[in-house]
């Protein structure tokens, strides 16, 4: 409930009380065209902040911890790469994932995906004895990561493939070959709310200019419902 019918008079009153600082329009006609500053150390704001923290703290302690959501990148090993490298099926399918929602789905965290290629390097004994921090590229690894497919290869193209590469370059190349996935995770607790292939859904923000007696802007936000925000 408020006695102010428009935002302008409200802003002017707040400025008069010393809570905010306003900037006038270029022609000087609109005295509250912009909000140029907030006086954070104003006694009223300090008191409100303390009161809000006290009430919010009591609410979270009675109803449980406050939660927040985060988007986590996931990775999927393509089937042909898993077959060429003869990777462990349980590792590829995330059978031992920490969260129940990912177990057996093939959605891997960055750490789990990195472990797969590291385990392959160790299994095949690909550490290059002649180069520090380098690994040898065997036939299957070359076919899975470096070889150009017939579809993308031009008729006269002759491709030279590496026999030894930097470990970090090989791992980066491996990740580039992975299919992308994502998960919406609720924290604390790391509970997966939603999981899917591809990039996370985008959130579109559109600012519409509405002309009238006074210049007004309308902001539209689309896609927040994908993240559990109405």
């Amino acid at each position: 409930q408020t006695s102010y019918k428009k935002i302008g008079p409200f802003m002017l009153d707040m400025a008069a009380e010393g809570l905010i600082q306003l900037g006038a329009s270029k022609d000087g006609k609109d005295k509250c065209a912009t909000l140029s500053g907030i006086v954070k150390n104003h006694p009223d704001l300090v008191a409100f902040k303390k009161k809000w923290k006290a009430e919010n703290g009591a609410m979270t302690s009675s109803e449980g911890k406050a939660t927040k959501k985060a988007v986590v990148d996931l990775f999927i090993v393509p089937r042909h790469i898993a077959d060429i490298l003869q990777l462990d099926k349980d590792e590829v399918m995330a059978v031992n994932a920490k969260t129940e929602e990912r177990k057996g789905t093939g959605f891997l965290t960055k750490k789990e995906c990195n472990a797969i290629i590291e385990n392959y390097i160790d299994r095949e004994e690909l550490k290059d004895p002649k180069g520090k921090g380098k690994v040898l590229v065997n036939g299957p690894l070359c076919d899975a990561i470096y070889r150009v497919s017939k579809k993308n290869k031009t008729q006269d193209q002759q491709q030279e493939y590496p026999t030894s590469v930097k470990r970090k370059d090989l791992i980066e190349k491996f990740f580039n070959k992975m299919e992308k996935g994502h998960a919406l995770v609720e924290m604390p607790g790391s509970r997966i709310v939603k999981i899917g292939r591809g990039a996370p859904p985008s959130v579109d923000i559109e600012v519409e200019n509405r002309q009238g007696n006074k210049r007004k802007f309308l902001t539209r936000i689309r896609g927040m419902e994908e993240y559990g925000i109405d």
Side-chain angles (χ1 to χ4, degrees):
Q1 296 291 335
T2 177
S3 59
Y4 297 97
K5 294 182 179 180
K6 293 185 178 181
I7 189 68
F10 170 74
M11 299 292 279
L12 288 171
D13 277 2
M14 294 299 101
E17 292 180 17
L19 288 160
I20 60 175
Q21 297 169 346
L22 298 175
S25 59
K26 290 182 179 180
D27 57 11
K29 292 181 179 180
D30 189 354
K31 294 181 180 180
C32 57
T34 61
L35 176 63
S36 59
I38 298 174
V39 185
K40 295 182 179 180
N41 59 352
H42 191 283
D44 288 354
L45 285 180
V46 173
F48 174 79
K49 190 174 181 180
K50 287 182 179 179
K51 182 181 178 182
W52 183 88
K53 280 188 175 181
E55 291 176 352
N56 192 59
M59 186 181 299
T60 54
S61 61
S62 62
E63 296 181 2
K65 292 183 178 179
T67 61
K68 62 180 181 180
K69 292 183 176 68
V71 177
V72 178
D73 291 329
L74 298 176
F75 304 88
I76 305 153
V77 181
R79 186 171 182 176
H80 71 280
I81 290 181
D83 291 342
I84 291 172
L85 300 181
Q86 297 181 349
L87 299 177
D88 184 281
K89 290 184 179 180
D90 287 350
E91 282 187 330
V92 170
M93 294 306 297
V95 170
N96 298 315
K98 291 183 178 180
T99 56
E100 290 295 328
E101 295 87 349
R102 285 196 303 109
K103 284 184 177 181
T105 63
F107 285 96
L108 303 163
T109 63
K110 186 175 183 179
K111 184 178 180 181
E112 292 167 345
C113 194
N114 189 81
I116 287 177
I117 185 62
E118 291 283 5
N119 291 341
Y120 180 82
I121 292 171
D122 292 340
R123 187 190 80 193
E124 299 296 319
E125 299 180 348
L126 297 178
K127 292 181 182 179
D128 191 345
K130 297 180 181 180
K132 186 178 180 180
K134 300 186 77 173
V135 294
L136 300 172
V137 180
N138 61 7
L141 201 55
C142 182
D143 289 342
I145 298 179
Y146 290 97
R147 194 172 298 281
V148 179
S149 66
K150 293 181 180 180
K151 183 179 179 181
N152 298 325
K153 188 175 181 180
T154 60
Q155 187 174 359
D156 299 325
Q157 183 181 16
Q158 290 185 349
Q159 184 75 29
E160 292 185 4
Y161 301 107
T163 56
S164 178
V165 296
K166 290 182 179 179
R167 194 185 196 100
K168 65 176 185 178
D169 292 342
L170 174 65
I171 293 173
E172 182 179 347
K173 194 81 173 177
F174 180 75
F175 270 95
N176 288 339
K177 292 289 184 179
M178 298 298 102
E179 296 175 5
K180 301 297 186 290
H182 67 276
L184 183 62
V185 182
E186 187 178 75
M187 296 184 289
S190 298
R191 184 178 72 87
I192 294 179
V193 179
K194 186 178 181 181
I195 194 169
R197 287 178 172 267
S202 61
V203 175
D204 299 322
I205 302 176
E206 178 186 344
V207 179
E208 182 180 326
N209 185 4
R210 290 193 169 185
Q211 298 291 346
N213 294 332
K214 290 187 177 180
R215 194 173 182 183
K216 295 182 179 180
F217 296 93
L218 179 65
T219 303
R220 301 180 188 275
I221 303 178
R222 299 183 181 89
M224 295 294 285
E225 62 276 1
E226 294 290 340
Y227 296 92
I229 303 174
D230 296 328

